[in-house]
Amino acid sequence: MSKITIAIDGFSSTGKSTVAKQIAKHLGYVYVDSGAMYRAITLYAIREGIISKANFDEKALVAHLTKIDVSFTFNSHLGYGEVYLNGINVEQDIRTLEVSGFVSKVAAISQVRSKLVAIQKQLGIHKGVVMDGRDIGTVVFPKAELKLFMIASAEKRASRRFKELIDRGDKITYDAVLKNVTERDYIDTHREDSPLVKAADAIEIDNSEMSIQEQLDHILGLIDVVLGKLHET
Ligand code: DC
């Protein structure tokens, strides 16, 4: 059975990773969370004192890039790859609001993007991959057989993210999460290099009022159509 590439782009906290993991599991594909890679570099920059509320030394971060190794190691218990920064699992450490607060600025640096895009292209070289992010259908896999573009209202996204952070024990307010979501939307869509845009051939999915199961069923239907067409040719 031929394998395809599935690119999932969209705004922050639109549930891209949830559905991407479900699809990957269903099809036996590899799931890659490209945002985790930008987060890992951001974590490195915070830990090295390159980025803080008072200071963002972009030049220093670019100079450090050759010393930063970002990779994934499959966790059979979870069923997907966890992100490693210089050989250490940082899957949990990258999910804080502190990292979220800086990551869009780091992701706007062209040198950071070209380093990570090269790794991402390599990860998808054999197809059979579901990757989520902001530029997957436009830059990383412009020839992906299926491109999805996820949207939902900022309030809906903030309340989902707020619940996630509270459930894992973070002390945070809904307003702070909403502010972060809207700030990231702005930076992600206005940066010069590879801004978040819907690819011309992407299918838009507004999941504001969809359950996770409804969304999965809808997407699996789209995948069946793509695979069906592929087998006809
Ligand atoms: O998907 P996420 O929220 O974990 O992504 C974190 C940030 O990384 C997001 O604000 C934008 C950036 N990003 C990007 O620019 N390109 C990608 N392919 C993935 C994420």
Side-chain angles (χ1 to χ4, degrees):
M1 177 122 144
S2 34
K3 291 190 168 186
I4 60 169
T5 301
I6 302 176
I8 306 183
D9 289 304
F11 292 91
S12 298
S13 306
T14 38
K16 300 183 296 293
S17 66
T18 303
V19 77
K21 279 178 201 154
Q22 289 174 318
I23 298 168
K25 192 171 172 205
H26 186 89
L27 298 174
Y29 282 16
V30 173
Y31 163 62
V32 180
D33 174 357
S34 70
M37 303 170 81
Y38 291 93
R39 287 173 177 272
I41 292 191
T42 306
L43 182 68
Y44 176 95
I46 294 170
R47 288 181 173 170
E48 290 292 317
I50 294 169
I51 196 166
S52 70
K53 277 202 177 119
N55 162 57
F56 178 19
D57 191 344
E58 193 177 316
K59 270 197 186 145
L61 181 54
V62 171
H64 275 250
L65 282 178
T66 51
K67 290 192 264 176
I68 307 176
D69 177 60
V70 178
S71 60
F72 289 93
T73 297
F74 188 73
N75 177 326
S76 55
H77 184 66
L78 293 172
Y80 56 85
E82 293 184 293
V83 71
Y84 280 64
L85 172 62
N86 291 340
I88 294 170
N89 184 332
V90 290
E91 188 64 35
Q92 291 301 317
D93 300 348
I94 59 165
R95 313 270 169 210
T96 62
L97 202 60
E98 187 188 18
V99 171
S100 298
F102 294 123
V103 65
S104 287
K105 282 187 189 148
V106 169
I109 303 172
S110 288
Q111 291 91 334
V112 169
R113 302 204 69 81
S114 46
K115 177 184 172 91
L116 295 185
V117 167
I119 301 171
Q120 290 153 8
K121 282 181 186 277
Q122 198 58 36
L123 288 169
I125 203 150
H126 300 299
K127 296 191 178 249
V129 68
V130 186
M131 192 176 291
D132 74 341
R134 304 294 187 288
D135 59 344
I136 311 304
T138 50
V139 176
V140 181
F141 301 131
K143 294 193 176 141
E145 289 83 356
L146 181 64
K147 299 180 186 177
L148 304 173
F149 193 81
M150 317 276 290
I151 60 167
S153 72
E155 291 73 19
K156 198 89 189 179
R157 291 183 282 134
S159 59
R160 288 175 187 159
R161 188 90 190 101
F162 174 63
K163 191 177 174 307
E164 248 173 57
L165 291 168
I166 291 291
D167 285 351
R168 60 172 245 175
D170 285 13
K171 288 194 172 48
I172 191 74
T173 64
Y174 167 79
D175 285 348
V177 178
L178 179 62
K179 185 167 177 278
N180 173 256
V181 162
T182 48
E183 274 173 7
R184 282 206 285 152
D185 285 357
Y186 185 85
I187 303 176
D188 292 346
T189 50
H190 287 78
R191 69 176 175 231
E192 234 164 79
D193 191 344
S194 326
L196 169 65
V197 281
K198 179 173 166 277
D201 51 351
I203 299 168
E204 186 169 284
I205 297 179
D206 183 343
N207 63 21
S208 302
E209 303 302 330
M210 260 186 203
S211 72
I212 289 180
Q213 189 60 45
E214 281 167 348
Q215 170 174 268
L216 177 65
D217 292 343
H218 176 56
I219 297 174
L220 291 179
L222 298 173
I223 294 169
D224 279 346
V225 173
V226 173
L227 288 173
K229 277 191 192 147
L230 214 65
H231 291 140
E232 280 166 19
T233 54

